[in-house]
Amino acid sequence: MGRRLADSSTRARLAAPDEGIGADELALATRNHGLPLEALRYDVTPPGLHYVLTHYDIPYVASNAPWQLKIGGRVRRRLRLDVPTLRAFAQVTTRVTLECAGNGRALLSPRPVSQPWLVEAVGTADWTGVPLKLLLAEAGVESDAVDVVFTGADHGVERGVEQDYQRALPVDVAMGCESEVLVAYEMNGAPLPPQHGYPIRLIVPGWYGMAHVKWLREITVIDQRFTGFQQAVNYRMRQDSGEAGEPVTRIVPRALLVPPGFPDFMSRSRVVRPGRVPLEGRAWSGKAPLARVEVSTDAGHSWHDAELDPDQGRRWAWRRWCFHWTATPGDYLLSARATDADGNTQPLDQPWNRGGFAVNLVQRVPVLCLEADE
């Protein structure tokens, strides 16, 4: 009996009650990795600590291999640009926080079976490249343009659909009406590492990671809405598998706490000593500028304002916050929550969706404060 492509690809599903992480999810978790939370102390995340999510294989691109970015579709002039030509355009460096759209998925119940993120799928880097709007202006976008489609070099199959990884942005977003989208070739002042999209990738400030297409090889302007798999099937907020769902776009606010004290190896529960304990972390939002970070040391029963560092003109990067806690012996559950200028804030009880997207449940960090003589 003949085999079909769909036979090699599993359907989306929810975990059964009390079902643990399966071998398929564990295999994903060994390929992808999150930010160790103690690395929230870095203003700029070192590339090896920055979160990584790769849908298919990391394409092998030799350092001396030629690479061309094609720009076509509804443009007046088709372009083929190699990396030296891209570097000849006006250069911009922007500090941007990237977060995976599925960050927090493993905390939901029932759990969507996929990459089992907790809260660590985030990182912040200085991305250097050419503004996308300059390239589109060079090509000359036609007046009937609707979407701009970005195609990466990574190829695979998902839910029975063979595909290149592709995402699209509305033409006004691509042209920088909300934020300056970059075609980036450097991360933290060095060429992109292979896992981060070498030699070029897209950076879309304020949007979840699925929009930041890596190993970018083609940009196509189209006169209709893009209906590719990663746009119309995946990355949709649904309650039921039959719904069209709302698209996942901008990052909802989140604050994360650098775990204080020292950890137990397996549980990661923290241990501190009595007295003044500095609490710190990072907070961000892609929807509106941050307005407030609050801290709770009593499992969310009471909240106290933290001190929030100024943004220093870096709208799209996380911001440090700090709070001083006087710890006394006992068990505690620490939390932090962010609120942005539009009033969006983090929930104590997370609304559920079938894909596990845009989860920003308030983080909970168990802490044991020792007796004074221990």
Side-chain angles (χ1 to χ4, degrees):
M1 184 175 179
R3 299 282 288 170
R4 301 173 303 163
L5 187 64
D7 295 329
S8 68
S9 183
T10 58
R11 296 174 60 85
R13 70 179 186 89
L14 302 176
D18 302 322
E19 178 184 349
I21 299 293
D24 51 354
E25 292 177 289
L26 182 59
L28 284 177
T30 61
R31 288 187 50 79
N32 304 309
H33 70 81
L35 173 84
L37 292 182
E38 60 270 28
L40 288 165
R41 293 187 176 94
Y42 293 95
D43 289 334
V44 175
T45 309
L49 297 178
H50 195 289
Y51 98 92
V52 170
L53 186 286
T54 304
H55 272 258
Y56 307 126
D57 286 349
I58 297 172
Y60 174 70
V61 184
S63 59
N64 60 350
W67 187 275
Q68 283 197 330
L69 173 63
K70 301 176 184 178
I71 303 179
R74 299 298 299 150
V75 296
R76 292 184 289 277
R77 179 187 174 202
R78 295 176 181 271
L79 302 178
R80 290 177 177 263
L81 306 170
D82 59 18
V83 176
T85 303
L86 287 172
R87 286 180 172 272
F89 282 85
Q91 185 182 93
V92 171
T93 298
T94 306
R95 187 167 296 177
V96 178
T97 295
L98 269 63
E99 182 177 9
C100 183
N103 198 17
R105 174 185 291 126
L107 301 173
L108 295 181
S109 181
R111 187 184 80 253
V113 175
S114 184
Q115 168 64 33
W117 293 124
L118 295 172
V119 297
E120 303 90 348
V122 67
T124 295
D126 287 335
W127 305 97
T128 299
V130 54
L132 175 63
K133 64 185 179 184
L134 296 185
L135 302 181
L136 294 177
E138 183 81 5
V141 175
E142 297 284 7
S143 60
D144 61 355
V146 174
D147 273 358
V148 182
V149 182
F150 305 91
T151 303
D154 44 334
H155 183 87
V157 57
E158 199 162 346
R159 301 185 215 171
V161 179
E162 184 178 359
Q163 60 190 283
D164 295 327
Y165 186 83
Q166 291 183 305
R167 283 282 305 184
L169 294 172
V171 68
D172 62 329
V173 176
M175 293 296 289
C177 294
E178 297 177 347
S179 59
E180 193 162 65
V181 180
L182 289 183
V183 174
Y185 42 74
E186 288 185 0
M187 178 184 190
N188 295 352
L192 298 172
Q195 72 273 28
H196 289 293
Y198 177 84
I200 54 175
R201 69 171 298 168
L202 200 67
I203 295 294
V204 188
W207 284 56
Y208 279 111
M210 78 284 156
H212 303 241
V213 177
K214 295 184 280 188
W215 313 291
L216 184 62
R217 62 179 180 82
E218 192 166 351
I219 298 173
T220 308
V221 181
I222 62 175
D223 60 3
Q224 57 192 328
R225 290 296 175 203
F226 178 60
T227 57
F229 180 90
Q230 302 294 344
Q231 198 90 9
V233 179
N234 203 5
Y235 296 108
R236 313 286 294 192
M237 301 282 281
R238 299 182 177 95
Q239 295 297 307
D240 181 80
S241 60
E243 296 176 11
E246 292 295 319
V248 177
T249 56
R250 291 191 166 274
I251 299 171
V252 295
R254 186 192 290 275
L256 287 180
L257 174 77
V258 175
F262 53 93
D264 172 71
F265 173 70
M266 284 297 295
S267 70
R268 309 309 297 174
S269 294
R270 310 299 294 193
V271 179
V272 300
R273 302 193 185 281
R276 187 178 173 86
V277 178
L279 302 179
E280 64 173 317
R282 301 282 172 169
W284 61 93
S285 174
K287 286 184 170 288
L290 280 176
R292 186 183 192 189
V293 173
E294 300 165 278
V295 174
S296 173
T297 59
D298 58 5
H301 294 292
S302 62
W303 293 90
H304 310 277
D305 283 327
E307 182 180 341
L308 183 62
D309 283 2
D311 68 7
Q312 299 180 322
R314 297 188 174 105
R315 162 68 182 91
W316 306 110
W318 59 22
R319 291 164 63 183
R320 180 180 175 273
W321 58 265
C322 62
F323 179 81
H324 292 287
W325 172 44
T326 301
T328 57
D331 292 295
Y332 298 88
L333 197 59
L334 308 187
S335 296
R337 68 181 178 193
T339 302
D340 68 24
D342 285 349
N344 303 300
T345 193
Q346 295 182 249
L348 293 173
D349 296 303
Q350 179 69 47
W352 185 87
N353 71 88
R354 187 176 177 86
F357 297 125
V359 174
N360 65 337
L361 180 71
V362 165
Q363 180 191 17
R364 293 171 169 87
V365 181
V367 172
L368 168 64
C369 181
L370 299 172
E371 296 290 341
D373 59 352
E374 287 192 68

